[in-house]
Amino acid sequence: MSTNMMQTEIEGILRDAFAPTRLEVINDSAKHSGHSGHDGSGESHFTVVIESAAFAGMSRLQRHRKVIAALGDIPGQRVHALAIKALAPGEST
Amino acid sequence: MMVNVTSSGTQRPLRRNSQTDEIPTMSAEEQIKDTVTTNDVVLFMKGTKAMPQCGFSNHVVGVLTTIGVEFQDVDVLADPEIRQGIKNYSDWPTIPQLYVKGEFVGGCDIISEMTMSGELDALLDKSGVSYSKEAAKKIRDANG
């Protein structure tokens, strides 16, 4: 069974929290098939690319903390791995 | 120092005394604080630097090793109290976690980004930690 419930949930939370000017939530789970964090749900590994004016003037650590805080118990518990790229408008990836 | 690494790189659980195998009276938090303040660079990771057990831990070990940074590894899988304790200590939910001079720097993404931007070089310079500038530049040239 394959669903994208987690992806949708992450997208919804981040849209509400940061009003992003760019948001990509990429499911990387298939790339990690067979290693310890891969739980068979198909939704264990994600990459988030988010651009928001909310991140202007913040350090990388502060941005990551904001994203992680918004996502509550998802990073590290409900999702094994969440890669985050948090940008302010005008910054390049 | 509480962490005990043998020449083969095998690491005992952080909180056990290497001689008696008894759990010392220090709390997990005290042990963590002791470790990050008595070592210039500490990586809390899954597995050991000789045998990482997770791709993200492996990645950070690879960066540090490639640029020649001496660091202390702590295997969180060896002690559930350290595994939870380090997350509380930094208020950061994931492993690996890198500390330089007692300060939490970040996890895999942040270390990767800082390597590419040169911020990691600047942090190591500022902290008086020796590393190879040429190797750091090579990583940037290869991935830039």
Side-chain angles (χ1 to χ4, degrees):
Chain A
M1 190 182 72
S2 179
T3 63
N4 58 0
M5 284 170 58
M6 181 59 76
Q7 190 166 351
T8 307
E9 185 178 348
I10 292 171
E11 282 174 0
I13 290 169
L14 295 178
R15 281 197 196 288
D16 289 348
F18 299 104
T21 41
R22 176 182 169 198
L23 178 63
E24 292 173 51
V25 179
I26 303 150
N27 185 344
D28 302 318
S29 304
K31 282 197 287 184
H32 300 274
S33 171
H35 99 68
S36 61
H38 192 266
D39 59 6
S41 68
E43 294 202 295
S44 57
H45 292 68
F46 288 90
T47 296
V48 168
V49 181
I50 181 168
E51 181 193 271
S52 167
F55 299 133
M58 283 187 196
S59 71
R60 291 180 200 285
L61 208 51
Q62 288 171 324
R63 293 174 188 195
H64 280 237
R65 283 196 194 283
K66 289 274 184 200
V67 172
I68 289 166
L71 292 172
D73 66 349
I74 293 176
Q77 290 187 47
R78 293 167 59 204
V79 165
H80 169 69
L82 187 71
I84 299 166
K85 196 174 265 293
L87 306 160
E91 293 176 350
S92 68
T93 50
Chain B
M1 191 177 78
M2 293 300 154
V3 180
N4 196 344
V5 179
T6 67
S7 56
S8 66
T10 315
Q11 188 202 315
R12 290 171 181 279
L14 182 64
R15 301 180 66 240
R16 286 184 206 286
N17 182 297
S18 59
Q19 308 305 315
T20 62
D21 212 37
E22 283 172 1
I23 296 175
T25 49
M26 264 199 227
S27 69
E29 188 191 340
E30 287 167 334
Q31 296 262 345
I32 289 164
K33 191 162 183 141
D34 185 75
T35 303
V36 300
T37 50
T38 56
N39 296 276
D40 281 352
V41 183
V42 184
L43 182 66
F44 289 81
M45 59 179 289
K46 291 183 178 173
T48 62
K49 61 172 123 179
M51 200 175 287
Q53 300 291 324
C54 165
F56 300 94
S57 291
N58 186 46
H59 182 86
V60 178
V61 168
V63 169
L64 295 176
T65 306
T66 302
I67 66 173
V69 170
E70 292 269 338
F71 67 100
Q72 177 66 60
D73 54 341
V74 177
D75 180 5
V76 302
L77 300 178
D79 188 332
E81 286 193 38
I82 295 297
R83 186 176 182 173
Q84 186 55 48
I86 195 63
K87 295 178 182 179
N88 298 342
Y89 187 82
S90 55
D91 188 27
W92 189 262
T94 54
I95 307 292
Q97 296 188 11
L98 182 70
Y99 291 76
V100 175
K101 294 276 184 187
E103 290 286 321
F104 174 54
V105 180
C108 183
D109 298 334
I110 288 180
I111 303 308
S112 299
E113 290 177 14
M114 289 178 72
T115 306
M116 292 307 292
S117 69
E119 287 163 85
L120 186 64
D121 302 39
L123 174 69
L124 295 172
D125 285 336
K126 190 184 80 175
S127 306
V129 173
S130 73
Y131 68 101
S132 162
K133 279 183 194 299
E134 298 94 281
K137 185 174 178 299
K138 264 187 199 163
I139 293 180
R140 282 191 282 279
D141 291 344
N143 296 282

